[in-house]
């Protein structure tokens, strides 16, 4: 049986305090019991506590957008996995392509972040994906396989690991791969994950990159797609819920 889909909202560096609380309330008011899918939202760090307050006790969990790989210390501006766990977060995104590009995060750093997440009982959402140049060079499977081998800790399970395939060229652009391409990459990710865990079949593999209500049904129906990591469309409660309901 396929794992229960996860719909994760990456709010990135958007919203203000009032808007974050309002969006969380709108989601809460409309989501219903929703046993078919699991939902999490990842607000900016300054708004985590407020959003956690709104969503406390609900079926919508909260995640961080990043964590530092170290437990504590002189890392100005960074947030540790322990801090996210202390607040009540369940997930943390690691290795998002914007972090890999803006902060020069290597696979080794992403791996260390995912391990820090696990050490604090957070579920890492490990992001991988090729650039447009890599895709044009026919290197997508190679690049994604290398990222999985380098960024995913050994021995995690369907309960403790989520992987998101996010082609860099599809993020925020309105462009998406064909469903055949998504199927090929997700099948490859699952087979490479089997080198890391005996539970690869149960690890949720999210697709991310310009998911919106209009394309969610076909993307969520692709083999080995177990949910979505949603950026822009997660900032509108109606769109995010429509995507979730398409799973
Ligand atoms: C993302 O950045 O994780 C993402 C998927 O963004 P968007 O949905 O806006 O393409």
């Amino acid at each position: 049986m396929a794992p229960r889909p996860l719909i994760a909202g990456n709010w990135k560096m958007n919203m203000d305090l009032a808007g974050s609380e309002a969006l969380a309330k709108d989601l809460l008011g409309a989501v219903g019991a929703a046993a078919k899918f699991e939902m999490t939202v990842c607000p900016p760090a300054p708004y985590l506590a407020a959003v956690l307050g709104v969503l406390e006790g609900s079926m919508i969990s909260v995640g961080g957008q990043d964590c530092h790989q170290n437990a504590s210390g002189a890392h100005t501006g960074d947030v540790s996995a322990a801090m996210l766990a202390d607040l009540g977060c369940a997930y943390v995104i690691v290795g998002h392509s914007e972090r890999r590009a803006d902060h020069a995060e290597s696979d080794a750093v992403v791996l260390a972040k995912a391990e820090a997440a696990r050490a604090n009982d957070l579920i890492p959402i490990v992001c991988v994906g090729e650039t447009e140049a890599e895709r044009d060079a026919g290197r997508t499977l190679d690049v994604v396989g290398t990222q999985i081998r380098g960024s995913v800790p050994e021995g995690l399970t369907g309960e403790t690991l989520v992987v998101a395939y996010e082609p860099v060229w599809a993020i925020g652009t309105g462009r998406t791969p064909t469903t055949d391409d998504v199927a090929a990459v997700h099948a490859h990710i699952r087979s490479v994950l089997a080198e890391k865990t005996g539970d690869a079949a149960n690890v949720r593999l999210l697709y991310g990159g310009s998911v919106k209500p209009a394309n969610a049904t076909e993307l969520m129906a692709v083999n080995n797609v177990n949910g979505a990591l949603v950026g822009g469309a997660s900032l509108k409660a109606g769109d995010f819920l429509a995507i979730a309901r398409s799973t």
Side-chain angles (χ1 to χ4, degrees), residues 5-8 31 34 36-39 211 213 216 220 228 230 237-247:
L6 171 67
I7 300 297
V31 73
K36 217 176 123 211
F37 55 83
E38 190 189 332
M39 177 175 278
V211 179
M220 294 304 102
V230 185
D239 285 359
F240 192 50
L241 286 161
I243 292 167
R245 288 184 179 126
S246 72
T247 57

Side-chain angles (χ1 to χ4, degrees), residues 8 10 12 93 96-98 127 166-167 170-175 207-212 229-234:
N10 175 11
K12 310 196 189 191
I93 299 169
H96 190 283
S97 60
E98 288 153 15
C127 300
E166 298 206 310
I171 294 179
T173 61
R175 297 163 60 205
Y207 168 76
S210 296
V211 179
K212 50 192 181 210
L229 179 53
V230 185
S234 71

